[in-house]
Amino acid sequence: IRSFTTISESLTAKELKRLLNNYFTPITKEIFDQHGTIDKYVGDMVMAFWGAPVDDDNHRNNAVLAAINMQIITEELKAEFKEMGLPEVNIGVGLNTGFMNVGDMGSSYRRSYTVLGDAVNLGSRLESITKFYGSKILIGEDTFDHSNGFVCRFVDRIQVKGKDTAIRVYEPIGVEGDVPQDELAELEEYNQAYQLHLDRKWDEALAAFNVLFEKTPLGVYSVYIERLPHLKEQILPDDWDGTFRHTTK
């Protein structure tokens, strides 16, 4: 949940519990409906995973669909929360796919069924940087490469803090067939603008991103509008591929 500290300061403990219970109930149902497993609730966060304890050959698609539907549920709850006198809720979702350890972990005193591993950590990093790009959902390249039926925006090629390998990051926009034609047209404009940036046509790329931002002020557009002038001043290696290194978690 975005700006949770601010939300917490504006509510009593009883009101905050009411907000979280009313929010997490439909969110949890959506995760269960898409065959996910709830790992834990940590304050304003819910952690879930797919593929255990029951195998799920369609785990990537189910997880992406859950993330998209969670955003739809969040929008639907805004009016309901307003009537209840509760503040507006917005969320960011990070989703990653990979091998991980799953099972009962902890100590001889207390254990919990959970997942551990580098793939889990990267999912957490993706959630964190949704704020940087102003994106509602970010998924890693493995999730994107092996899922289907979704319209996704390529967001960036990044190195997250603590990692040396760059990955591609995408933002699911919606289910194929449900995304309006004007959004698809804007997505194509964005892809062309990004390619101009890769081709080091800095002025053309900046102009294209400015046009996009004037049309729809998305955070990802502003990221490139801010980045391009700095790239123009740098001497980049011949094999530069657009990778951006994040220095914070």
Side-chain angles (χ1 to χ4, degrees):
I1 296 176
R2 293 288 169 254
S3 305
F4 186 67
T5 301
T6 302
I7 291 174
S8 301
E9 291 173 346
S10 68
L11 300 174
T12 65
K14 186 176 181 180
E15 289 170 334
L16 186 61
K17 183 175 74 171
R18 182 186 179 203
L19 180 146
L20 289 174
N21 287 342
N22 278 278
Y23 183 71
F24 283 144
T25 295
I27 290 298
T28 299
K29 181 181 183 301
E30 175 58 33
I31 291 169
F32 286 165
D33 286 347
Q34 303 305 329
H35 313 293
T37 299
I38 298 292
D39 185 301
K40 61 176 71 74
Y41 303 98
V42 185
D44 65 326
M45 180 197 77
V46 58
M47 177 177 170
F49 54 87
W50 276 255
V54 179
D55 287 341
D56 180 4
D57 292 336
N58 204 34
H59 56 90
R60 294 177 183 85
N61 274 36
N62 290 333
V64 175
L65 184 58
I68 291 172
N69 287 341
M70 285 162 63
Q71 293 291 350
I72 294 171
I73 290 167
T74 301
E75 289 301 314
E76 292 173 345
L77 284 173
K78 288 182 179 180
E80 182 179 324
F81 277 19
K82 186 175 182 180
E83 289 181 6
M84 297 168 63
L86 295 173
E88 181 176 288
V89 169
N90 294 286
I91 62 169
V93 181
L95 180 59
N96 189 52
T97 306
F99 289 103
M100 57 194 70
N101 292 311
V102 58
D104 291 329
M105 302 178 199
S107 68
S108 58
Y109 298 98
R110 184 178 185 276
R111 291 172 180 262
S112 61
Y113 187 73
T114 188
V115 287
L116 294 173
D118 186 59
V120 182
N121 298 336
L122 182 53
S124 177
R125 294 286 189 275
L126 293 178
E127 183 275 319
S128 296
I129 63 173
T130 57
K131 290 171 279 189
F132 179 85
Y133 293 101
S135 300
K136 294 181 177 181
I137 308 167
L138 287 179
I139 66 174
E141 58 186 29
D142 185 281
T143 309
F144 172 81
D145 289 343
H146 298 96
S147 59
N148 56 73
F150 304 105
V151 176
C152 296
R153 173 188 291 108
F154 173 80
V155 172
D156 206 353
R157 184 177 175 85
I158 65 169
Q159 281 181 275
V160 298
K161 184 176 175 61
K163 295 277 291 180
D164 294 325
T165 304
I167 64 162
R168 290 172 282 113
V169 178
Y170 297 82
E171 178 180 14
I173 298 173
V175 176
E176 287 182 355
D178 292 346
V179 180
Q181 190 58 45
D182 59 336
E183 289 188 35
L184 294 176
E186 186 172 324
L187 178 60
E188 181 56 33
E189 289 181 47
Y190 166 81
N191 291 336
Q192 293 172 5
Y194 182 81
Q195 188 58 50
L196 287 169
H197 140 270
L198 277 187
D199 293 339
R200 312 188 194 199
K201 298 179 180 179
W202 311 122
D203 294 336
E204 292 179 52
L206 183 58
F209 278 112
N210 276 317
V211 169
L212 285 165
F213 188 81
E214 289 176 8
K215 184 184 304 182
T216 311
L218 296 181
V220 67
Y221 300 161
S222 64
V223 165
Y224 285 100
I225 289 170
E226 182 179 342
R227 185 184 300 178
L228 282 162
H230 297 288
L231 288 172
K232 184 179 180 180
E233 294 174 359
Q234 296 179 34
I235 300 175
L236 299 171
D238 292 339
D239 61 350
W240 178 76
D241 59 4
T243 297
F244 179 81
R245 187 176 185 86
H246 285 269
T247 55
T248 58
K249 293 184 179 179

